[in-house]
């Protein structure tokens, strides 16, 4: 019998009312039937990830930091993280390909 031990919930930093979005992602009516029917326990570890696109600019980055503070106040300090993506400047060359060697059928 498989039962999840934890869940990672992700919301983009440019969404409105991020905390409410996180709560709605794991609301009982949004869960699979096994949780709603009581077969599985929905009380598991949760980690909330705020995903921020650095290309949105400095003002958006400040809003993301403010949103992270609000998340930590509401959801808990230890279970909230901010992940920044697209940190390379626009038009920059892609870095070293470290993944192809580990993907099956890469290059076929």
């Amino acid at each position: 019998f498989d039962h999840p031990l934890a869940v990672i919930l992700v919301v983009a930093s440019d969404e409105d009312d991020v905390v409410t979005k996180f709560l709605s992602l794991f609301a009982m009516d949004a869960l699979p039937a096994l949780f709603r029917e009581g077969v599985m326990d929905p009380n598991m570890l949760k980690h909330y990830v705020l995903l921020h696109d650095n290309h949105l600019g400095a003002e958006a980055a400040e809003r993301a930091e403010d949103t992270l503070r609000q998340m930590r106040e509401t959801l808990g300090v230890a279970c909230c993280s901010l992940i920044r993506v697209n940190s390379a400047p626009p038009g920059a060359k892609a870095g070293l390909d470290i993944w192809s060697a580990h993907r099956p059928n890469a290059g076929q």
Side-chain angles (χ1 to χ4, degrees), residues 21 61 105:
K21 291 260 189 318
N105 303 322

Side-chain angles (χ1 to χ4, degrees), residues 11-39:
V11 172
S13 64
D14 59 348
E15 290 284 339
D16 293 327
D17 201 4
V18 168
V19 172
T20 301
K21 291 260 189 318
F22 276 119
L23 296 175
S24 68
L25 283 173
F26 211 76
M28 190 56 87
D29 60 338
L31 295 178
L34 289 175
F35 288 99
R36 292 191 313 267
E37 295 165 1
V39 176

Side-chain angles (χ1 to χ4, degrees), residues 28-51:
M28 190 56 87
D29 60 338
L31 295 178
L34 289 175
F35 288 99
R36 292 191 313 267
E37 295 165 1
V39 176
M40 291 184 170
D41 185 4
N43 295 317
M44 65 181 79
L45 293 174
K46 296 173 190 76
H47 195 84
Y48 304 93
V49 176
L50 184 63
L51 187 64

